[in-house]
Amino acid sequence: PSVSISLMPWSSQPGPGRLLCSVMDFYPAEIQVRWFQGQQELSGHVVATDVVPNGNWTYQLLVLLQTTP
């Protein structure tokens, strides 16, 4: 599997940004992706796609966290 995290600006206005975690090419489909700040899990403002098949027996998932950078 491969994992990447990127910061995406919310808009051209200052304020919260979005951290995007892209998880690609994993198998089997069962997976958990969670955001933490220190020891505390961040569960509010988290949006995830469904696990999506790639067509080659692997899967992908995107998990977005709205946060202040």
Side-chain angles (χ1 to χ4, degrees):
S2 65
V3 177
S4 66
I5 297 174
S6 55
L7 177 62
M8 303 172 57
W10 186 256
S11 68
S12 60
Q13 304 299 319
R18 296 176 290 178
L19 286 173
L20 178 65
C21 179
S22 304
V23 186
M24 304 293 187
D25 302 322
F26 59 90
Y27 179 88
E30 293 77 25
I31 190 169
Q32 282 188 346
V33 176
R34 300 182 295 174
W35 289 99
F36 286 85
Q37 184 172 17
Q39 298 292 320
Q40 182 170 349
E41 183 175 355
L42 303 173
S43 57
H45 305 290
V46 174
V47 178
T49 63
D50 291 332
V51 172
V52 177
N54 288 326
N56 63 354
W57 298 96
T58 66
Y59 298 87
Q60 61 180 294
L61 173 69
L62 302 176
V63 183
L64 186 72
L65 170 68
Q66 182 179 327
T67 186
T68 302

